[in-house]
Amino acid sequence: GTIRFAGVPIVQKTIPTTIDQYVCGKEKAAEDLLVSADKGIRNVVVSIENSPALGLSAPVPPVVLDQKECTFVPHVVVVPINSPVLFLNTDRLLHNLHSISTLNARFNRAQPKGRTIQMAFKIPEKIRIECDLHTWMRAWVVVAEHSFYTVTNDRGAFVLENVPPGSYTLRVWHESLGTVTKDVTVAPQVGTDVSIEMSPVKP
């Protein structure tokens, strides 16, 4: 499927960097809303609300979240409950990892270049990760209770694989645009294609 922006075309915002410009550069793209030329929205989390199987599949490799040129890469990751997230720092300067969550324990840890910090989360939740030293840096760790989660690519496209035939509710979440749901039916051996629009949140 594809997640598209329903508003008027947007101008990509940039954020001026204030420190460590020898690594960070002079400005960064604001990642809170990235829309392609054909209005596809990047970094949207798509999941099945009424999952056919709450149990997770076989163990998955650790999810990696790096800090490169004062940006978290990728901006949004999905990790199964109790599975490891490897936080990296490949910049030649000090960062820190500051989590903002409600259900999982919070942490705030310094991370010099080359140090790997491994964390796991027990409760499904969307966790914001920030760097207090570089205040424009932000990422999201989405802790998933089942296998049917994914994140849209740079054109707003996504694929949920191996979904059994049946009727489901798709839950679509974006950090700036909120949550949208849509009922879908997956046909045997065919699947389904879906296009969902998200609108700017009204003040």
Side-chain angles (χ1 to χ4, degrees):
T2 306
I3 311 298
R4 298 191 183 280
F5 187 65
V8 299
I10 67 169
V11 176
Q12 178 62 56
K13 297 182 296 183
T14 58
I15 302 171
T17 60
T18 53
I19 61 171
D20 296 328
Q21 291 183 341
Y22 68 100
V23 172
C24 304
K26 294 183 178 180
E27 62 182 17
K28 292 293 178 185
E31 295 186 291
D32 58 338
L33 182 57
L34 297 174
V35 180
S36 68
D38 56 354
K39 291 192 171 184
I41 309 172
R42 188 173 186 171
N43 294 323
V44 180
V45 178
V46 182
S47 62
I48 291 179
E49 194 171 83
N50 49 337
S51 169
L54 289 177
L56 291 163
S57 57
V60 298
V63 171
V64 175
L65 185 58
D66 200 355
Q67 294 164 94
K68 297 180 179 179
E69 298 178 358
C70 307
T71 300
F72 285 110
V73 181
H75 183 65
V76 178
V77 296
V78 173
V79 58
I81 54 175
N82 298 316
S83 295
V85 180
L86 302 182
F87 293 95
L88 309 181
N89 176 11
T90 55
D91 284 340
R92 59 183 190 276
L93 47 76
L94 178 69
H95 288 298
N96 82 303
L97 298 172
H98 185 180
S99 74
I100 299 173
S101 59
T102 302
L103 303 176
N104 291 274
R106 297 189 178 197
F107 56 89
N108 194 342
R109 298 181 60 177
Q111 187 173 30
K113 174 180 170 58
R115 175 182 292 174
T116 299
I117 296 176
Q118 179 171 313
M119 304 292 293
F121 305 96
K122 299 179 180 180
I123 304 173
E125 185 180 14
K126 301 174 185 70
I127 301 172
R128 192 165 79 232
I129 307 293
E130 298 181 345
C131 175
D132 297 326
L133 304 176
H134 306 92
T135 55
W136 61 86
M137 292 180 62
R138 177 174 295 178
W140 294 88
V141 175
V142 178
V143 186
E145 71 269 38
H146 56 75
S147 303
F148 301 108
Y149 274 75
T150 192
V151 181
T152 58
N153 64 15
D154 58 355
R155 299 195 64 183
F158 70 92
V159 176
L160 284 172
E161 297 182 331
N162 302 316
V163 180
S167 297
Y168 303 99
T169 299
L170 283 183
R171 176 172 290 271
V172 176
W173 175 84
H174 183 269
E175 63 182 285
S176 297
L177 303 177
T179 301
V180 173
T181 59
K182 184 178 179 67
D183 293 334
V184 298
T185 299
V186 178
Q189 301 181 352
V190 176
T192 188
D193 291 327
V194 60
S195 180
I196 299 175
E197 290 191 338
M198 301 190 78
S199 302
V201 177
K202 295 180 180 180

